[in-house]
C-alpha cells in the first residue's frame, strides 16, 4: 500500500504550492458546489502530480522514504501504518514519477460524482469489491 499524503500536507502546500504550480489552473474543482473540500483537495493533488510528476515526487513522495522502518510507515511520531510492500513501493513510485511527462488535468463531473457516490453507498453495505454492484449491473451500464 502506497500512502499518498494528500490531505495531510495541505497546510504545508499552501505555503509552497502557489510559488511552484499555477494553482488557478490546476484547482479545477474549487468552485464545484457538489464536492466536499476533501474531494476538491484530492483533485488538486492529482492535478499537481499530473502537471509536474517529478516535482511532486521530490516535494511530497520522497520525504516519505525516511519515515519507513521495514514495512512500517510512521505517518507521525505516534501513528504507524503496517504496509505489505514497505519502502520499495515508494521508491518505485518515485522512479516512475520522475520520468513522467505532463498529463491532461482532471476536471470534476457531476454525473461521475453521483455515480461514484451511489456505487459506494450500495457496495458499502456488502463485502463486495469491484465495479459491479450487488444487483449485477456493471459500471458502463450505470454510466
Amino acid at each position: 500500500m502506497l500512502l499518498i499524503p494528500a490531505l495531510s500536507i495541505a497546510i504545508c502546500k499552501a505555503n509552497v504550492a502557489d510559488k511552484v504550480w499555477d494553482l488557478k489552473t490546476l484547482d479545477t474543482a474549487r468552485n464545484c458546489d457538489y464536492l466536499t473540500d476533501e474531494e476538491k483537495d484530492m483533485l488538486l493533488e492529482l492535478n499537481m502530480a499530473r502537471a509536474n510528476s517529478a516535482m511532486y515526487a521530490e516535494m511530497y513522495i520522497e520525504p516519505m522514504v525516511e519515515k519507513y522502518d521495514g514495512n512500517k510507515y510512521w505517518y507521525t511520531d505516534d501513528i504507524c501504518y503496517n504496509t505489505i510492500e514497505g519502502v520499495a513501493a515508494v521508491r518505485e513510485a518515485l522512479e516512475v514519477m520522475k520520468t513522467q511527462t505532463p498529463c491532461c488535468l482532471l476536471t470534476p463531473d457531476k454525473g461521475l460524482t453521483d455515480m461514484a457516490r451511489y456505487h459506494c453507498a450500495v457496495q458499502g453495505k456488502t463485502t463486495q469489491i469491484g465495479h459491479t454492484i450487488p444487483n449485477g449491473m456493471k459500471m458502463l451500464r450505470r454510466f
Side-chain angles (χ1 to χ4, degrees), residues 30-89:
R30 194 56 50 194
N31 295 323
C32 289
D33 59 357
Y34 57 87
L35 295 176
T36 66
D37 286 341
E38 290 83 9
E39 291 166 334
K40 293 173 187 180
D41 291 344
M42 184 57 67
L43 271 174
L44 175 58
E45 291 286 333
L46 290 168
N47 281 338
M48 290 169 71
R50 292 170 69 86
N52 192 332
S53 293
M55 187 174 359
Y56 189 90
E58 180 183 330
M59 292 178 75
Y60 302 109
I61 307 300
E62 201 164 332
M64 295 174 69
V65 170
E66 64 190 40
K67 294 183 172 193
Y68 273 86
D69 179 15
N71 285 0
K72 293 182 181 211
Y73 174 71
W74 289 93
Y75 183 70
T76 64
D77 288 341
D78 55 347
I79 298 175
C80 180
Y81 295 100
N82 290 315
T83 69
I84 295 170
E85 301 92 344
V87 73

